[in-house]
Amino acid sequence: MARRRKKLEAGSWKLEAGTQQQPPPAAQAAPPPAPQGPPRNWPPVADRTLIGKSIKRLDGPDKAQGKAKYTYDIIRPGMLYGRLLGSPHAHARIKGIDLSAAEKLAGVKAVLALKDPAGEGANGKAFYQGDEIAAVAATTEEIAEDAVRLIKVEYEPLQALATAAQAMSADAPAVFPKGNVSQQSLQQEGDVEAALKSAAHIVEGTYSTQVQTHTSLETHGGICEWEGEKLTAWVSTQAVHGARDGIAGSLKIPQTNVRVITDYMGGGFGSKLGFDYQVVVCARLAKLANAPVKLMLNRKEEHLVTGNRPSAYAKVRAGVDAKGKLVAFDAETWGTGGAGAGAAFRVPYPIYVFPSRRQRHRDAYTNAGPQRAFRAPGHPQASFITEVVLDELADKLRLDPLELRMRNVLSATDPSQEDPSRQWRKYFPMGAEKIGWSKRHPTGDPASGPIKRGMGCAGNTWGGAGSRATRANCQILPDGSVLARIGTQDIGTGTRTLVAIVAAETMGLPLTGVKAEIGDTNYPFAPGSGGSVTVASVSATMRIACENARDELFAKVAPALGVEPSALAAKDGRIQVKDAPSKGMTWREACKLLGVQPISADGAFGPGLSSTGTSGVQFADVEVDIETGVTRVKRIVCVQDCGTIMDKLTAESQVYGGIIMGLGFALYENRILDRNTARMVNPNMEWYLLPGMSDIPEIDITLVDQPDRGPVGLGEPPVISTAAAVANAVANAIGVRVRKLPLSPDAILQALNEERTGGTL
Amino acid sequence: MTEPYASRHITLNHCSNLRHKGMYVTDTFASERQEIEPTAYWCLCTQKSFGPDGHPVSPGDCKSSRRCCEH
């Protein structure tokens, strides 16, 4: 039977904050309307005992002591170890796979061919290095490695496409069935050509960002254990329910036969929201071997096959009038995410008003691992391109780039009302004050000597709304314990602690008085932890479940106190009468009234407890050595909102992490493919550079609390602006514009050299 | 204008095995269709960016005319 689908209406390109964010529900049926219940709210700010405070993670000690068991750490009785054989070639026809030697090796329990030499398209070909060819399961990791080496594969290497330029060249080989380049997509508003003609100043240039590979500390993979036709899978995933969908769908078994567990996971950043191929292979090996199998990727495989932030290229023309009002932005853009679509990004970045704008985009397909969602997909690329163009326009005008931003940044649709999701006009001056912007010199540090100092800034926006499909359960047990269950997962952000905060705040208990259980498909549905939707989804829904449970307890207690249930409050470990706090009983005494029957209440996501839309700005202060090209970021200032701050400590941690990841994008990370073979030359953490401790600058965070909005997601926003702010600071320091990332020493020296021979500004 | 290759505009004509991140995140407030989308697609059956027939997955490709398409 055809699944019920919701057809989305086409819309124009509206300049709205947060529109370049997360996908709509698309093919899924619309979430059911939330069950009607009493209106729910967060407690008044003055009454909040936990929400908004700096609360340490409940599982911090377990993590620090190694007691927290990540998927990678789990060992099951009789467990085998799985390994994959990946293609050494970026593009090859598979002419034969001989598993016999591997099958005969002592200790090998299962071997699978994952390609079919007679197969069509990708079934009979490797389209990127690491493309999975075969898999084994053996009693030890070493035997599994040996068995992989015994698999004989006959490859016919084919010409590979390593770069977008190669894929787009007229004489490129036809590698992909429908061509190496996608059809062009177009978005436009206004008459760009006429607007550019009216401009007082125009900037033209080509801007680019590199491919950034996913480098989560815990690699992808899982452990699969069958019991008859039922499968339990411990998966390093950002979506336990999504993983169940993928595993069951791929294995063609009922979802009711699959349970996915993720107690702890070591980072995903978008790469663990689907594509659970290695877990499906793991399940097949486990079935074949009739034993549990663990299959976790190694670091090299992570770089090759678990996704990336695609490259971005933009040939831009942008104009500004003599009064400093932006008039037009025209961009021809392209990029590659490897052997799959999805390299798009939208420019201009939608926090600045360009009345006329046009973007024409094409994806180029190359023989490299396909892209996946990567923390704020499309945003850092678009932010870099747009913010650098803005600084160049400011230079043309001889105007402070901060002033140019203030004249053009998006503000509230209704000027008479403040829009809490569009606060850049307030935050830019706050950040400027903190970084000491008044001391900033015009482009090019006039100081003598090779060390040049500069400042730059950039803004960001995101959505971060909650999902209406979210459900939760809260139980109050007769012994006074409280159990809060929700099928979300803690991807390292502190979600387990968040659930406990909401439950404890609602029950008037200390954090130790409640137990949060997450990371299991046996718990009520919660969305994947992507798109910064988790805090809004989980907080709002858990609050409702807990209030529903607490109200049931009030109903039990009220007769004993001779009042109506609505007269009661849960506070300081007591159930008491609001207007007469001395009249009441302890929480434990109240729960004894339940007898032997616990309260179990469900909650469905409801409106009013969360919001959508964030704004933030970042400023960078850098030093650049123009003799070596080395950039040292001295300081990052960040002003960021996220609605109601639920846990200040973990919110700040999100921002620290985002900025550090943004620094990696700005200065270090770069997937390098051999231009002839398309093989990655740096698939490790030695030559694929990430920021180390000594690279991390002083980071000054101002989190703006909006206590009346309810929470909004914060995972994505802090990573967006860092690279743009650093790039603008570098140009301010050295007086030369570097229009590509990463801002590596060679890129800076090359730009300085080009300046000497013709100029970049 | 040509059909957007990378649009998330998925309809009844598309294969029910077509997946993208948004389907698991379900941000139901972002309902506005955009022509230019930074979205990766994959196939539920293969868990890869290629379908059971070995060809790439996308809203433009995963329609009823494709032999592996399911509804």
Side-chain angles (χ1 to χ4, degrees):
Chain A
M1 191 177 82
R3 295 182 185 186
R4 186 167 152 252
R5 308 273 180 100
K6 181 184 179 186
K7 184 173 182 178
L8 301 172
E9 295 304 318
S12 63
W13 190 8
K14 292 178 183 172
L15 196 65
E16 291 182 349
T19 53
Q20 189 174 350
Q21 48 148 345
Q22 288 312 313
Q28 293 182 324
Q36 295 297 309
R40 299 300 190 184
N41 295 296
W42 295 108
V45 175
D47 293 346
R48 294 175 190 176
T49 58
L50 296 167
I51 291 172
K53 307 292 188 293
S54 280
I55 295 170
K56 293 177 182 173
R57 293 160 199 260
L58 292 172
D59 45 18
D62 281 351
K63 288 184 174 181
Q65 296 173 69
K67 292 178 181 173
K69 297 301 176 195
Y70 291 73
T71 301
Y72 212 108
D73 300 322
I74 292 169
I75 297 173
R76 300 293 300 165
M79 189 180 81
L80 306 173
Y81 294 86
R83 294 296 305 146
L84 291 163
L85 171 63
S87 170
H89 304 288
H91 189 204
R93 183 169 290 110
I94 313 299
K95 301 187 75 175
I97 303 173
D98 182 357
L99 306 175
S100 57
E103 288 169 334
K104 290 172 187 164
L105 184 67
V108 170
K109 302 296 182 186
V111 186
L112 281 173
L114 303 174
K115 295 280 186 184
D116 175 7
E120 193 180 335
N123 293 330
K125 271 184 171 182
F127 270 102
Y128 47 90
Q129 184 191 8
D131 200 351
E132 297 86 351
I133 307 294
V136 304
T139 50
T140 69
E141 288 181 274
E142 292 78 13
I143 293 173
E145 293 279 1
D146 287 346
V148 162
R149 280 190 284 272
L150 289 173
I151 296 170
K152 292 173 187 164
V153 182
E154 186 182 353
Y155 297 99
E156 179 191 343
L158 303 169
Q159 194 171 349
L161 301 170
T163 66
Q166 287 179 2
M168 297 169 77
S169 74
D171 58 351
V175 170
F176 294 92
K178 287 194 168 183
N180 302 334
V181 183
S182 72
Q183 293 175 313
Q184 181 177 274
S185 299
L186 169 70
Q187 287 194 169
Q188 62 180 339
E189 186 91 21
D191 187 338
V192 168
E193 296 299 338
L196 284 170
K197 279 181 186 169
S198 73
H201 300 281
I202 289 177
V203 162
E204 290 189 64
T206 300
Y207 305 80
S208 64
T209 64
Q210 75 281 33
V211 172
Q212 182 183 24
T213 60
H214 274 290
T215 357
S216 305
L217 278 183
E218 184 182 37
T219 62
H220 291 62
I223 298 150
C224 289
E225 182 172 322
W226 292 90
E227 187 178 344
E229 296 306 308
K230 295 205 168 186
L231 173 67
T232 301
W234 290 261
V235 183
S236 185
T237 180
Q238 292 174 244
V240 288
H241 291 276
R244 180 173 68 179
D245 175 61
I247 294 166
S250 187
L251 296 174
K252 305 291 184 194
I253 60 176
Q255 291 194 13
T256 48
N257 283 10
V258 179
R259 180 184 178 193
V260 174
I261 300 170
T262 306
D263 282 333
Y264 298 92
M265 63 93 74
F269 308 104
S271 68
K272 294 176 179 171
L273 272 166
F275 285 109
D276 289 308
Y277 181 69
Q278 59 283 335
V279 183
V280 171
V281 172
C282 180
R284 290 177 61 195
L285 287 169
K287 192 73 173 171
L288 199 59
N290 196 27
V293 173
K294 177 193 279 190
L295 199 167
M296 304 294 294
L297 301 188
N298 63 29
R299 184 56 56 188
K300 181 177 179 180
E301 290 165 335
E302 284 287 296
H303 281 292
L304 295 178
V305 305
T306 64
N308 59 73
R309 185 187 300 287
S311 63
Y313 297 84
K315 191 175 177 184
V316 176
R317 293 183 301 155
V320 63
D321 70 17
K323 294 180 179 176
K325 294 295 282 185
L326 301 170
V327 296
F329 193 104
D330 184 29
E332 181 184 350
T333 64
W334 65 97
T336 182
F345 53 94
R346 287 204 295 274
V347 287
Y349 195 63
I351 67 170
Y352 301 111
V353 179
F354 284 90
S356 295
R357 53 200 179 275
R358 177 171 62 189
Q359 182 184 5
R360 290 157 288 181
H361 180 85
R362 289 181 296 167
D363 284 351
Y365 307 123
T366 52
N367 292 109
Q371 76 107 327
R372 294 186 188 178
F374 199 137
R375 200 171 190 173
H379 279 236
Q381 304 97 301
S383 168
F384 169 77
I385 293 162
T386 307
E387 298 279 8
V388 169
V389 166
L390 247 65
D391 263 34
E392 291 191 52
L393 287 169
D395 277 349
K396 293 260 188 186
L397 281 161
R398 297 189 180 279
L399 182 69
D400 182 340
L402 184 64
E403 176 57 29
L404 182 64
R405 284 169 174 78
M406 293 297 285
R407 292 182 192 180
N408 293 280
V409 75
L410 198 64
S411 54
T413 310
D414 179 354
S416 67
Q417 293 194 339
E418 186 168 328
D419 184 339
S421 68
R422 296 181 177 188
Q423 294 290 300
W424 304 284
R425 207 176 287 279
K426 185 189 292 183
Y427 297 165
F428 270 123
M430 287 169 66
E433 175 72 21
K434 284 208 149 200
I435 198 87
W437 190 262
S438 60
K439 295 176 190 164
R440 178 185 177 275
H441 51 70
T443 300
D445 185 353
S448 59
I451 306 299
K452 304 297 184 185
R453 194 143 183 178
M455 294 182 198
C457 66
N460 64 65
T461 182
W462 192 255
S467 164
R468 284 182 294 175
T470 314
R471 300 291 183 265
N473 174 263
C474 178
Q475 295 178 33
I476 300 173
L477 294 107
D479 67 355
S481 51
V482 176
L483 197 53
R485 284 177 164 166
I486 183 166
T488 183
Q489 48 285 309
D490 191 337
I491 61 172
T493 53
T495 303
R496 183 177 277 105
T497 306
L498 170 74
V499 170
I501 288 171
V502 173
E505 181 82 60
T506 307
M507 303 302 177
L509 294 172
L511 213 51
T512 51
V514 301
K515 185 175 184 187
E517 292 192 340
I518 61 172
D520 194 324
T521 47
N522 280 353
Y523 303 151
F525 177 85
S529 292
S532 303
V533 305
T534 304
V535 68
S537 304
V538 168
S539 304
T541 311
M542 186 51 73
R543 170 73 175 176
I544 292 168
C546 290
E547 287 205 300
N548 289 343
R550 186 202 57 193
D551 286 357
E552 283 193 41
L553 183 63
F554 284 169
K556 292 274 187 185
V557 171
L561 294 175
V563 296
E564 291 296 314
S566 59
L568 295 174
K571 192 175 180 184
D572 300 331
R574 285 171 54 81
I575 304 294
Q576 59 196 31
V577 179
K578 290 176 191 169
D579 298 333
S582 61
K583 189 177 179 182
M585 62 182 77
T586 67
W587 175 267
R588 193 173 287 270
E589 287 169 344
C591 292
K592 281 182 181 171
L593 297 177
L594 297 176
V596 295
Q597 295 178 3
I599 291 169
S600 178
D602 295 330
F605 181 87
L609 288 167
S610 62
S611 191
T612 185
T614 63
S615 36
V617 301
Q618 288 183 24
F619 287 72
D621 179 356
V622 308
E623 277 184 356
V624 186
D625 184 331
I626 59 170
E627 291 181 347
T628 64
V630 171
T631 298
R632 176 159 290 278
V633 179
K634 306 291 290 182
R635 191 163 179 241
I636 297 283
V637 166
C638 168
V639 182
Q640 181 70 51
D641 61 45
C642 55
T644 302
I645 297 170
M646 300 301 289
D647 179 349
K648 190 161 182 279
L649 190 63
T650 53
E652 286 173 348
S653 294
Q654 286 273 40
V655 180
Y656 281 119
I659 289 171
I660 292 166
M661 187 175 265
L663 283 174
F665 187 54
L667 298 172
Y668 308 115
E669 296 187 53
N670 191 10
R671 185 186 72 182
I672 302 169
L673 302 184
D674 182 286
R675 69 176 69 111
N676 295 312
T677 65
R679 293 175 63 172
M680 187 175 177
V681 302
N682 57 342
N684 50 57
M685 289 174 77
E686 182 179 11
W687 296 108
Y688 183 87
L689 303 180
L690 294 158
M693 292 298 286
S694 61
D695 301 312
I696 297 170
E698 178 189 346
I699 298 174
D700 181 334
I701 300 167
T702 300
L703 274 180
V704 179
D705 194 12
Q706 299 169 318
D708 298 327
R709 289 187 75 198
V712 186
L714 181 63
E716 253 100 346
V719 81
I720 295 168
S721 320
T722 314
V726 170
N728 283 335
V730 166
N732 179 241
I734 66 176
V736 173
R737 180 60 60 180
V738 186
R739 294 192 175 106
K740 64 180 181 181
L741 295 180
L743 299 159
S744 56
D746 62 306
I748 285 175
L749 292 177
Q750 183 185 355
L752 285 164
N753 189 50
E754 286 173 1
E755 173 68 6
R756 292 186 193 104
T757 58
T760 61
L761 292 179
Chain B
M1 190 172 63
T2 57
E3 181 185 17
Y5 192 85
S7 170
R8 293 188 299 240
H9 188 53
I10 296 174
T11 70
L12 278 169
N13 290 328
H14 288 98
C15 177
S16 61
N17 293 319
L18 182 61
R19 290 289 183 274
H20 62 76
K21 165 189 165 182
M23 297 165 78
Y24 294 117
V25 170
T26 57
D27 184 351
T28 51
F29 293 97
S31 59
E32 188 176 328
R33 175 192 170 193
Q34 299 283 341
E35 299 295 342
I36 296 176
E37 292 291 357
T39 304
Y41 294 91
W42 67 94
C43 172
L44 177 70
C45 302
T46 64
Q47 291 291 295
K48 301 188 89 169
S49 56
F50 293 87
D53 61 358
H55 294 297
V57 169
S58 78
D61 292 316
C62 297
K63 292 183 175 175
S64 50
S65 55
R66 189 166 172 168
R67 70 173 188 270
C68 55
C69 180
E70 293 181 352
H71 289 292

